Amino acid sequence: MKTNKEKVIDFYTAFSKKDHEGMANCYHEEIYFRDEAFELNGKEVQAMWHMLCLRGKDLVIEFGDLVEEGETVTAKWEAKYTFSATKRKVHNKIHAKFKFKEGLIVEHIDSFNFWKWSSQALGLPGYLLGWSFFLKKKVRDQAGNSLNAFISSHSEYQ
């Protein structure tokens, strides 16, 4: 059986190859995921990564600084991509925290500086309003709507 740290390495290795099935294989069926745009459970999490892998034509992932402490692993990772809604380049630096159950990831929390992300992804509106609840809610709503549409068109997630 792999260590928790090795399971996270498997997850990011699959992600760097845009292998959403490989990523899903690292998750427990009771997976909970949260970041600045999503809060999801179970198959919704798998659908999100599937959607992001398909849409991330120029997505490049780098990861490192993995630390395993008991049943928790933390990691730092970076995503470089073009934000599809604005065609703007984004370089997002993310801190991840993973918890495990039965040798699989059961909780995955990503955190990043939303203001920095929104400044890159949205330009001036993100720079001016990236600190606001209003913009965060708008981004979350749009991300949720996009994911719901994706799930509706993929029967494996329904």
Side-chain angles (χ1 to χ4, degrees):
M1 181 179 250
K2 292 188 174 195
T3 67
N4 294 339
K5 187 175 179 180
E6 290 170 329
K7 187 58 71 176
V8 172
I9 291 170
D10 288 349
F11 175 84
Y12 284 120
T13 300
F15 193 11
S16 69
K17 297 175 185 175
K18 299 179 191 162
D19 175 9
H20 67 91
E21 291 175 350
M23 296 168 74
N25 289 336
C26 297
Y27 279 147
H28 192 277
E29 65 182 13
E30 297 171 7
I31 183 63
Y32 168 78
F33 175 86
R34 184 181 74 229
D35 73 358
E36 300 297 328
F38 295 101
E39 185 168 8
L40 307 168
N41 292 290
K43 288 187 175 184
E44 295 172 324
V45 181
Q46 296 172 10
M48 174 198 64
W49 292 122
H50 187 172
M51 178 181 76
L52 294 176
C53 285
L54 285 177
R55 294 182 180 174
K57 303 296 183 204
D58 65 345
L59 175 66
V60 175
I61 300 296
E62 296 175 6
F63 66 95
D65 296 331
L66 280 78
V67 177
E68 184 169 6
E69 293 181 13
E71 289 297 307
T72 301
V73 174
T74 58
K76 293 180 182 173
W77 66 282
E78 298 182 19
K80 297 175 185 173
Y81 60 96
T82 302
F83 185 61
S84 60
T86 60
K87 307 297 185 239
R88 295 178 61 87
K89 296 286 186 189
V90 173
H91 180 185
N92 199 13
K93 297 179 180 182
I94 301 126
H95 180 268
K97 184 175 182 180
F98 299 90
K99 293 185 180 177
F100 298 82
K101 181 177 179 180
E102 300 168 351
L104 297 169
I105 301 165
V106 72
E107 182 178 284
H108 178 176
I109 309 294
D110 279 349
S111 57
F112 57 88
N113 184 315
F114 183 81
W115 178 79
K116 284 184 180 178
W117 174 86
S118 67
S119 295
Q120 293 175 64
L122 305 174
L124 186 59
Y127 178 79
L128 294 174
L129 299 172
W131 54 269
S132 72
F133 173 77
F134 167 78
L135 186 62
K136 282 186 179 184
K137 182 176 180 340
K138 184 174 181 179
V139 167
R140 286 182 80 93
D141 289 348
Q142 288 176 339
N145 291 338
S146 183
L147 181 59
N148 288 336
F150 184 84
I151 289 171
S152 293
S153 67
H154 288 79
S155 60
E156 67 266 38
Y157 300 116
Q158 298 173 16

